[in-house]
Amino acid sequence: MINYFIIILMTFIIIFVIDGQVNNCISYENNIYQVTTTFPNYKSFYSMITLLPKGLSYEVLNIAMGMNEAELGLDLQVSTHIGQYQCANKSSVYLRSVGYLFKSDETAILPTTDRISRHDYYLDFNDNNSTTCTGQVTYTYFQTGSNPYISSNKPIFTFSSGNISCVLLPRKHYTKSTNNTHS
């Protein structure tokens, strides 16, 4: 009898913990945030991060095509990043996205090949309504073809942490039309 009680209790605890982590992220799903990033001693730049359902993310930077030495200290060209996020609680989101850093003769870490680029974001939504955040980001670069998610994979280069702030972009809420006639 006690064994059944323990099994049932553990099942409820596991379901509560898993469900709690999923529900913690619901308020961020399908939102697009404009993120301002500033690394020490450099100019700020912007990105758009979309937090998709089921913990997936999409990131685009406004300096992706290069000419960004004032913002990064190097002239880099980066691809769109895709990633995953999870919520530690109702106000903290951890996001890890990956993409490519394209090769360039002008950049010492990229003379012959491109690299995998990983962005690790720590977002704090202290306003309790998912509209603004502050936090930190780290950019790390790995050998192309390696797995940027495993801890044994040593990075080629890591930027110092940058400060970020974000704001939810307003959107128009669409409703499905009930009128099926077309003009």
mmCIF file of all heavy atoms in Angstrom, residues 95-138:
data_model
loop_
_atom_site.group_PDB
_atom_site.id
_atom_site.type_symbol
_atom_site.label_atom_id
_atom_site.label_comp_id
_atom_site.label_asym_id
_atom_site.label_seq_id
_atom_site.Cartn_x
_atom_site.Cartn_y
_atom_site.Cartn_z
ATOM 1 N N LEU A 95 18.020 31.036 -23.270
ATOM 2 C CA LEU A 95 17.908 30.761 -24.703
ATOM 3 C C LEU A 95 19.295 30.465 -25.250
ATOM 4 O O LEU A 95 20.241 31.206 -24.960
ATOM 5 C CB LEU A 95 17.306 31.973 -25.400
ATOM 6 C CG LEU A 95 17.027 31.875 -26.891
ATOM 7 C CD1 LEU A 95 15.837 32.737 -27.242
ATOM 8 C CD2 LEU A 95 18.216 32.244 -27.727
ATOM 9 N N ARG A 96 19.405 29.398 -26.017
ATOM 10 C CA ARG A 96 20.660 29.068 -26.703
ATOM 11 C C ARG A 96 20.335 28.909 -28.171
ATOM 12 O O ARG A 96 19.521 28.069 -28.553
ATOM 13 C CB ARG A 96 21.258 27.789 -26.150
ATOM 14 C CG ARG A 96 22.517 27.336 -26.907
ATOM 15 C CD ARG A 96 23.184 26.177 -26.225
ATOM 16 N NE ARG A 96 24.015 26.715 -25.153
ATOM 17 C CZ ARG A 96 24.696 25.957 -24.309
ATOM 18 N NH1 ARG A 96 24.616 24.654 -24.381
ATOM 19 N NH2 ARG A 96 25.443 26.516 -23.377
ATOM 20 N N SER A 97 20.956 29.738 -29.022
ATOM 21 C CA SER A 97 20.712 29.659 -30.460
ATOM 22 C C SER A 97 22.027 29.409 -31.186
ATOM 23 O O SER A 97 23.103 29.777 -30.708
ATOM 24 C CB SER A 97 20.045 30.943 -30.961
ATOM 25 O OG SER A 97 20.889 32.054 -30.760
ATOM 26 N N VAL A 98 21.922 28.777 -32.357
ATOM 27 C CA VAL A 98 23.115 28.462 -33.143
ATOM 28 C C VAL A 98 22.900 28.864 -34.596
ATOM 29 O O VAL A 98 21.773 28.904 -35.083
ATOM 30 C CB VAL A 98 23.490 26.961 -33.066
ATOM 31 C CG1 VAL A 98 23.931 26.578 -31.673
ATOM 32 C CG2 VAL A 98 22.356 26.081 -33.533
ATOM 33 N N GLY A 99 23.999 29.159 -35.245
ATOM 34 C CA GLY A 99 23.999 29.514 -36.657
ATOM 35 C C GLY A 99 25.425 29.432 -37.159
ATOM 36 O O GLY A 99 26.275 28.781 -36.542
ATOM 37 N N TYR A 100 25.701 30.107 -38.249
ATOM 38 C CA TYR A 100 27.046 30.081 -38.813
ATOM 39 C C TYR A 100 27.656 31.467 -38.832
ATOM 40 O O TYR A 100 26.977 32.473 -39.002
ATOM 41 C CB TYR A 100 27.035 29.519 -40.244
ATOM 42 C CG TYR A 100 26.828 28.036 -40.270
ATOM 43 C CD1 TYR A 100 25.598 27.499 -40.588
ATOM 44 C CD2 TYR A 100 27.870 27.173 -39.947
ATOM 45 C CE1 TYR A 100 25.397 26.127 -40.590
ATOM 46 C CE2 TYR A 100 27.676 25.795 -39.946
ATOM 47 C CZ TYR A 100 26.447 25.282 -40.268
ATOM 48 O OH TYR A 100 26.251 23.934 -40.259
ATOM 49 N N LEU A 101 28.946 31.486 -38.652
ATOM 50 C CA LEU A 101 29.774 32.665 -38.817
ATOM 51 C C LEU A 101 30.536 32.409 -40.114
ATOM 52 O O LEU A 101 31.253 31.416 -40.221
ATOM 53 C CB LEU A 101 30.728 32.773 -37.622
ATOM 54 C CG LEU A 101 31.617 33.975 -37.491
ATOM 55 C CD1 LEU A 101 30.776 35.234 -37.318
ATOM 56 C CD2 LEU A 101 32.522 33.808 -36.278
ATOM 57 N N PHE A 102 30.341 33.260 -41.120
ATOM 58 C CA PHE A 102 30.886 32.981 -42.442
ATOM 59 C C PHE A 102 32.356 33.348 -42.535
ATOM 60 O O PHE A 102 32.808 34.308 -41.913
ATOM 61 C CB PHE A 102 30.073 33.719 -43.508
ATOM 62 C CG PHE A 102 28.628 33.302 -43.516
ATOM 63 C CD1 PHE A 102 27.625 34.204 -43.232
ATOM 64 C CD2 PHE A 102 28.271 31.986 -43.778
ATOM 65 C CE1 PHE A 102 26.290 33.818 -43.234
ATOM 66 C CE2 PHE A 102 26.950 31.581 -43.783
ATOM 67 C CZ PHE A 102 25.961 32.508 -43.503
ATOM 68 N N LYS A 103 33.097 32.591 -43.352
ATOM 69 C CA LYS A 103 34.539 32.800 -43.459
ATOM 70 C C LYS A 103 34.854 34.159 -44.068
ATOM 71 O O LYS A 103 34.084 34.726 -44.840
ATOM 72 C CB LYS A 103 35.192 31.682 -44.243
ATOM 73 C CG LYS A 103 34.899 31.655 -45.718
ATOM 74 C CD LYS A 103 35.636 30.509 -46.361
ATOM 75 C CE LYS A 103 35.378 30.462 -47.851
ATOM 76 N NZ LYS A 103 36.166 29.429 -48.488
ATOM 77 N N SER A 104 36.025 34.654 -43.668
ATOM 78 C CA SER A 104 36.464 35.969 -44.125
ATOM 79 C C SER A 104 37.981 36.039 -44.023
ATOM 80 O O SER A 104 38.556 35.648 -43.012
ATOM 81 C CB SER A 104 35.842 37.068 -43.259
ATOM 82 O OG SER A 104 36.459 38.294 -43.464
ATOM 83 N N ASP A 105 38.625 36.548 -45.071
ATOM 84 C CA ASP A 105 40.077 36.732 -45.029
ATOM 85 C C ASP A 105 40.479 37.795 -44.021
ATOM 86 O O ASP A 105 41.612 37.838 -43.577
ATOM 87 C CB ASP A 105 40.591 37.134 -46.416
ATOM 88 C CG ASP A 105 40.481 36.004 -47.418
ATOM 89 O OD1 ASP A 105 40.483 34.833 -46.975
ATOM 90 O OD2 ASP A 105 40.382 36.282 -48.622
ATOM 91 N N GLU A 106 39.538 38.669 -43.658
ATOM 92 C CA GLU A 106 39.844 39.788 -42.769
ATOM 93 C C GLU A 106 39.769 39.427 -41.288
ATOM 94 O O GLU A 106 40.127 40.229 -40.443
ATOM 95 C CB GLU A 106 38.881 40.941 -43.062
ATOM 96 C CG GLU A 106 38.977 41.447 -44.482
ATOM 97 C CD GLU A 106 37.863 42.417 -44.818
ATOM 98 O OE1 GLU A 106 37.172 42.877 -43.896
ATOM 99 O OE2 GLU A 106 37.692 42.712 -46.006
ATOM 100 N N THR A 107 39.293 38.225 -40.963
ATOM 101 C CA THR A 107 39.104 37.851 -39.576
ATOM 102 C C THR A 107 40.016 36.684 -39.229
ATOM 103 O O THR A 107 39.933 35.621 -39.843
ATOM 104 C CB THR A 107 37.634 37.471 -39.319
ATOM 105 O OG1 THR A 107 36.814 38.557 -39.755
ATOM 106 C CG2 THR A 107 37.385 37.222 -37.847
ATOM 107 N N ALA A 108 40.863 36.869 -38.225
ATOM 108 C CA ALA A 108 41.886 35.880 -37.877
ATOM 109 C C ALA A 108 41.313 34.506 -37.532
ATOM 110 O O ALA A 108 41.934 33.489 -37.830
ATOM 111 C CB ALA A 108 42.729 36.401 -36.717
ATOM 112 N N ILE A 109 40.136 34.458 -36.908
ATOM 113 C CA ILE A 109 39.587 33.155 -36.524
ATOM 114 C C ILE A 109 38.861 32.470 -37.676
ATOM 115 O O ILE A 109 38.402 31.357 -37.524
ATOM 116 C CB ILE A 109 38.643 33.277 -35.301
ATOM 117 C CG1 ILE A 109 37.440 34.170 -35.620
ATOM 118 C CG2 ILE A 109 39.378 33.740 -34.082
ATOM 119 C CD1 ILE A 109 36.369 34.166 -34.552
ATOM 120 N N LEU A 110 38.800 33.125 -38.859
ATOM 121 C CA LEU A 110 38.044 32.576 -39.984
ATOM 122 C C LEU A 110 38.797 32.592 -41.312
ATOM 123 O O LEU A 110 38.177 32.763 -42.351
ATOM 124 C CB LEU A 110 36.754 33.383 -40.169
ATOM 125 C CG LEU A 110 35.829 33.473 -38.984
ATOM 126 C CD1 LEU A 110 34.769 34.520 -39.219
ATOM 127 C CD2 LEU A 110 35.192 32.130 -38.739
ATOM 128 N N PRO A 111 40.087 32.407 -41.356
ATOM 129 C CA PRO A 111 40.762 32.590 -42.638
ATOM 130 C C PRO A 111 40.458 31.520 -43.681
ATOM 131 O O PRO A 111 40.514 31.793 -44.868
ATOM 132 C CB PRO A 111 42.245 32.573 -42.263
ATOM 133 C CG PRO A 111 42.303 31.747 -41.026
ATOM 134 C CD PRO A 111 41.010 32.042 -40.299
ATOM 135 N N THR A 112 40.127 30.301 -43.275
ATOM 136 C CA THR A 112 39.957 29.236 -44.256
ATOM 137 C C THR A 112 38.588 28.577 -44.231
ATOM 138 O O THR A 112 38.237 27.868 -45.158
ATOM 139 C CB THR A 112 41.017 28.133 -44.043
ATOM 140 O OG1 THR A 112 40.874 27.620 -42.724
ATOM 141 C CG2 THR A 112 42.417 28.688 -44.234
ATOM 142 N N THR A 113 37.817 28.761 -43.183
ATOM 143 C CA THR A 113 36.534 28.083 -43.094
ATOM 144 C C THR A 113 35.570 28.879 -42.221
ATOM 145 O O THR A 113 35.981 29.750 -41.467
ATOM 146 C CB THR A 113 36.712 26.652 -42.537
ATOM 147 O OG1 THR A 113 35.456 25.981 -42.612
ATOM 148 C CG2 THR A 113 37.206 26.647 -41.105
ATOM 149 N N ASP A 114 34.300 28.552 -42.349
ATOM 150 C CA ASP A 114 33.320 29.203 -41.487
ATOM 151 C C ASP A 114 33.333 28.537 -40.110
ATOM 152 O O ASP A 114 34.059 27.577 -39.876
ATOM 153 C CB ASP A 114 31.925 29.146 -42.114
ATOM 154 C CG ASP A 114 31.501 27.730 -42.478
ATOM 155 O OD1 ASP A 114 32.317 26.797 -42.396
ATOM 156 O OD2 ASP A 114 30.336 27.557 -42.850
ATOM 157 N N ARG A 115 32.541 29.051 -39.192
ATOM 158 C CA ARG A 115 32.471 28.527 -37.833
ATOM 159 C C ARG A 115 31.011 28.440 -37.397
ATOM 160 O O ARG A 115 30.146 29.136 -37.926
ATOM 161 C CB ARG A 115 33.211 29.438 -36.850
ATOM 162 C CG ARG A 115 34.680 29.623 -37.139
ATOM 163 C CD ARG A 115 35.479 28.387 -36.774
ATOM 164 N NE ARG A 115 36.896 28.648 -36.953
ATOM 165 C CZ ARG A 115 37.692 27.927 -37.714
ATOM 166 N NH1 ARG A 115 37.206 26.904 -38.375
ATOM 167 N NH2 ARG A 115 38.966 28.197 -37.823
ATOM 168 N N ILE A 116 30.764 27.599 -36.405
ATOM 169 C CA ILE A 116 29.453 27.569 -35.774
ATOM 170 C C ILE A 116 29.435 28.664 -34.724
ATOM 171 O O ILE A 116 30.366 28.810 -33.929
ATOM 172 C CB ILE A 116 29.167 26.203 -35.133
ATOM 173 C CG1 ILE A 116 29.061 25.128 -36.216
ATOM 174 C CG2 ILE A 116 27.894 26.247 -34.298
ATOM 175 C CD1 ILE A 116 28.911 23.735 -35.682
ATOM 176 N N SER A 117 28.383 29.428 -34.726
ATOM 177 C CA SER A 117 28.211 30.524 -33.777
ATOM 178 C C SER A 117 27.105 30.134 -32.793
ATOM 179 O O SER A 117 26.028 29.714 -33.214
ATOM 180 C CB SER A 117 27.808 31.783 -34.552
ATOM 181 O OG SER A 117 27.457 32.813 -33.683
ATOM 182 N N ARG A 118 27.376 30.269 -31.495
ATOM 183 C CA ARG A 118 26.364 29.971 -30.476
ATOM 184 C C ARG A 118 26.150 31.213 -29.622
ATOM 185 O O ARG A 118 27.102 31.826 -29.166
ATOM 186 C CB ARG A 118 26.805 28.802 -29.591
ATOM 187 C CG ARG A 118 25.716 28.359 -28.622
ATOM 188 C CD ARG A 118 26.168 27.211 -27.752
ATOM 189 N NE ARG A 118 27.007 27.717 -26.677
ATOM 190 C CZ ARG A 118 27.821 26.974 -25.944
ATOM 191 N NH1 ARG A 118 27.945 25.687 -26.177
ATOM 192 N NH2 ARG A 118 28.535 27.515 -24.984
ATOM 193 N N HIS A 119 24.885 31.578 -29.420
ATOM 194 C CA HIS A 119 24.515 32.708 -28.569
ATOM 195 C C HIS A 119 23.768 32.166 -27.358
ATOM 196 O O HIS A 119 22.771 31.475 -27.507
ATOM 197 C CB HIS A 119 23.625 33.696 -29.325
ATOM 198 C CG HIS A 119 24.276 34.296 -30.520
ATOM 199 N ND1 HIS A 119 23.580 35.064 -31.420
ATOM 200 C CD2 HIS A 119 25.547 34.255 -30.984
ATOM 201 C CE1 HIS A 119 24.401 35.469 -32.377
ATOM 202 N NE2 HIS A 119 25.595 34.984 -32.131
ATOM 203 N N ASP A 120 24.246 32.493 -26.170
ATOM 204 C CA ASP A 120 23.600 32.075 -24.920
ATOM 205 C C ASP A 120 23.018 33.308 -24.242
ATOM 206 O O ASP A 120 23.772 34.189 -23.811
ATOM 207 C CB ASP A 120 24.603 31.393 -23.989
ATOM 208 C CG ASP A 120 25.034 30.046 -24.508
ATOM 209 O OD1 ASP A 120 24.209 29.135 -24.494
ATOM 210 O OD2 ASP A 120 26.210 29.912 -24.942
ATOM 211 N N TYR A 121 21.691 33.374 -24.171
ATOM 212 C CA TYR A 121 20.979 34.499 -23.568
ATOM 213 C C TYR A 121 20.411 34.113 -22.206
ATOM 214 O O TYR A 121 19.850 33.023 -22.053
ATOM 215 C CB TYR A 121 19.794 34.925 -24.448
ATOM 216 C CG TYR A 121 20.172 35.639 -25.713
ATOM 217 C CD1 TYR A 121 20.394 34.939 -26.890
ATOM 218 C CD2 TYR A 121 20.271 37.020 -25.735
ATOM 219 C CE1 TYR A 121 20.712 35.598 -28.062
ATOM 220 C CE2 TYR A 121 20.593 37.690 -26.904
ATOM 221 C CZ TYR A 121 20.816 36.974 -28.063
ATOM 222 O OH TYR A 121 21.133 37.636 -29.220
ATOM 223 N N TYR A 122 20.536 35.020 -21.257
ATOM 224 C CA TYR A 122 19.890 34.894 -19.946
ATOM 225 C C TYR A 122 18.971 36.109 -19.803
ATOM 226 O O TYR A 122 19.456 37.228 -19.627
ATOM 227 C CB TYR A 122 20.931 34.855 -18.832
ATOM 228 C CG TYR A 122 21.882 33.690 -18.990
ATOM 229 C CD1 TYR A 122 23.058 33.816 -19.721
ATOM 230 C CD2 TYR A 122 21.570 32.456 -18.441
ATOM 231 C CE1 TYR A 122 23.909 32.737 -19.891
ATOM 232 C CE2 TYR A 122 22.423 31.368 -18.599
ATOM 233 C CZ TYR A 122 23.593 31.524 -19.326
ATOM 234 O OH TYR A 122 24.429 30.446 -19.495
ATOM 235 N N LEU A 123 17.681 35.889 -19.928
ATOM 236 C CA LEU A 123 16.702 36.975 -19.949
ATOM 237 C C LEU A 123 15.915 37.005 -18.643
ATOM 238 O O LEU A 123 15.412 35.975 -18.195
ATOM 239 C CB LEU A 123 15.726 36.782 -21.115
ATOM 240 C CG LEU A 123 16.329 36.529 -22.492
ATOM 241 C CD1 LEU A 123 15.246 36.178 -23.492
ATOM 242 C CD2 LEU A 123 17.124 37.725 -22.944
ATOM 243 N N ASP A 124 15.788 38.192 -18.061
ATOM 244 C CA ASP A 124 14.982 38.386 -16.852
ATOM 245 C C ASP A 124 13.829 39.325 -17.176
ATOM 246 O O ASP A 124 14.049 40.491 -17.518
ATOM 247 C CB ASP A 124 15.821 38.975 -15.716
ATOM 248 C CG ASP A 124 16.872 38.006 -15.223
ATOM 249 O OD1 ASP A 124 16.521 36.837 -14.990
ATOM 250 O OD2 ASP A 124 18.045 38.421 -15.087
ATOM 251 N N PHE A 125 12.621 38.828 -17.077
ATOM 252 C CA PHE A 125 11.405 39.603 -17.311
ATOM 253 C C PHE A 125 10.848 40.007 -15.944
ATOM 254 O O PHE A 125 10.033 39.312 -15.370
ATOM 255 C CB PHE A 125 10.371 38.782 -18.082
ATOM 256 C CG PHE A 125 10.758 38.519 -19.499
ATOM 257 C CD1 PHE A 125 11.541 37.421 -19.823
ATOM 258 C CD2 PHE A 125 10.351 39.364 -20.512
ATOM 259 C CE1 PHE A 125 11.900 37.173 -21.145
ATOM 260 C CE2 PHE A 125 10.700 39.127 -21.823
ATOM 261 C CZ PHE A 125 11.478 38.028 -22.144
ATOM 262 N N ASN A 126 11.310 41.121 -15.431
ATOM 263 C CA ASN A 126 10.932 41.529 -14.079
ATOM 264 C C ASN A 126 9.620 42.290 -14.007
ATOM 265 O O ASN A 126 9.155 42.627 -12.933
ATOM 266 C CB ASN A 126 12.051 42.357 -13.457
ATOM 267 C CG ASN A 126 13.300 41.518 -13.244
ATOM 268 O OD1 ASN A 126 13.195 40.344 -12.885
ATOM 269 N ND2 ASN A 126 14.455 42.085 -13.493
ATOM 270 N N ASP A 127 9.007 42.579 -15.150
ATOM 271 C CA ASP A 127 7.773 43.370 -15.142
ATOM 272 C C ASP A 127 6.513 42.516 -14.988
ATOM 273 O O ASP A 127 5.412 43.034 -14.937
ATOM 274 C CB ASP A 127 7.669 44.221 -16.405
ATOM 275 C CG ASP A 127 7.651 43.388 -17.680
ATOM 276 O OD1 ASP A 127 7.699 42.147 -17.596
ATOM 277 O OD2 ASP A 127 7.601 43.983 -18.754
ATOM 278 N N ASN A 128 6.679 41.195 -14.942
ATOM 279 C CA ASN A 128 5.565 40.252 -14.749
ATOM 280 C C ASN A 128 4.514 40.288 -15.850
ATOM 281 O O ASN A 128 3.434 39.765 -15.670
ATOM 282 C CB ASN A 128 4.889 40.461 -13.387
ATOM 283 C CG ASN A 128 5.810 40.064 -12.261
ATOM 284 O OD1 ASN A 128 6.578 39.109 -12.382
ATOM 285 N ND2 ASN A 128 5.753 40.798 -11.176
ATOM 286 N N ASN A 129 4.787 40.924 -16.975
ATOM 287 C CA ASN A 129 3.823 40.868 -18.079
ATOM 288 C C ASN A 129 4.497 40.537 -19.414
ATOM 289 O O ASN A 129 3.921 40.761 -20.460
ATOM 290 C CB ASN A 129 3.005 42.164 -18.163
ATOM 291 C CG ASN A 129 3.843 43.363 -18.506
ATOM 292 O OD1 ASN A 129 5.032 43.239 -18.802
ATOM 293 N ND2 ASN A 129 3.251 44.539 -18.461
ATOM 294 N N SER A 130 5.704 40.049 -19.375
ATOM 295 C CA SER A 130 6.428 39.538 -20.552
ATOM 296 C C SER A 130 6.702 40.592 -21.616
ATOM 297 O O SER A 130 6.881 40.253 -22.780
ATOM 298 C CB SER A 130 5.658 38.378 -21.194
ATOM 299 O OG SER A 130 5.308 37.414 -20.257
ATOM 300 N N THR A 131 6.740 41.864 -21.251
ATOM 301 C CA THR A 131 6.935 42.901 -22.273
ATOM 302 C C THR A 131 8.337 43.486 -22.323
ATOM 303 O O THR A 131 8.745 43.973 -23.369
ATOM 304 C CB THR A 131 5.937 44.063 -22.083
ATOM 305 O OG1 THR A 131 6.140 44.633 -20.800
ATOM 306 C CG2 THR A 131 4.498 43.570 -22.228
ATOM 307 N N THR A 132 9.088 43.451 -21.235
ATOM 308 C CA THR A 132 10.455 43.970 -21.239
ATOM 309 C C THR A 132 11.364 43.021 -20.477
ATOM 310 O O THR A 132 10.925 42.291 -19.588
ATOM 311 C CB THR A 132 10.550 45.373 -20.597
ATOM 312 O OG1 THR A 132 10.147 45.285 -19.221
ATOM 313 C CG2 THR A 132 9.697 46.384 -21.337
ATOM 314 N N CYS A 133 12.640 43.050 -20.839
ATOM 315 C CA CYS A 133 13.600 42.209 -20.128
ATOM 316 C C CYS A 133 14.959 42.885 -20.086
ATOM 317 O O CYS A 133 15.229 43.829 -20.832
ATOM 318 C CB CYS A 133 13.710 40.829 -20.777
ATOM 319 S SG CYS A 133 14.695 40.763 -22.287
ATOM 320 N N THR A 134 15.797 42.396 -19.215
ATOM 321 C CA THR A 134 17.212 42.741 -19.149
ATOM 322 C C THR A 134 17.957 41.421 -19.025
ATOM 323 O O THR A 134 17.358 40.379 -18.768
ATOM 324 C CB THR A 134 17.538 43.646 -17.949
ATOM 325 O OG1 THR A 134 17.137 42.974 -16.752
ATOM 326 C CG2 THR A 134 16.838 44.992 -18.052
ATOM 327 N N GLY A 135 19.263 41.460 -19.204
ATOM 328 C CA GLY A 135 20.015 40.225 -19.046
ATOM 329 C C GLY A 135 21.403 40.289 -19.634
ATOM 330 O O GLY A 135 21.968 41.372 -19.831
ATOM 331 N N GLN A 136 21.923 39.106 -19.926
ATOM 332 C CA GLN A 136 23.282 38.939 -20.442
ATOM 333 C C GLN A 136 23.258 38.017 -21.655
ATOM 334 O O GLN A 136 22.370 37.170 -21.780
ATOM 335 C CB GLN A 136 24.174 38.294 -19.371
ATOM 336 C CG GLN A 136 24.316 39.088 -18.107
ATOM 337 C CD GLN A 136 25.264 40.249 -18.285
ATOM 338 O OE1 GLN A 136 26.348 40.094 -18.828
ATOM 339 N NE2 GLN A 136 24.852 41.428 -17.855
ATOM 340 N N VAL A 137 24.265 38.162 -22.523
ATOM 341 C CA VAL A 137 24.449 37.261 -23.656
ATOM 342 C C VAL A 137 25.939 37.002 -23.825
ATOM 343 O O VAL A 137 26.769 37.866 -23.544
ATOM 344 C CB VAL A 137 23.850 37.830 -24.970
ATOM 345 C CG1 VAL A 137 24.556 39.103 -25.411
ATOM 346 C CG2 VAL A 137 23.858 36.777 -26.074
ATOM 347 N N THR A 138 26.263 35.785 -24.256
ATOM 348 C CA THR A 138 27.639 35.420 -24.595
ATOM 349 C C THR A 138 27.628 34.809 -25.989
ATOM 350 O O THR A 138 26.782 33.968 -26.292
ATOM 351 C CB THR A 138 28.205 34.399 -23.584
ATOM 352 O OG1 THR A 138 28.152 34.963 -22.286
ATOM 353 C CG2 THR A 138 29.647 34.049 -23.907
#
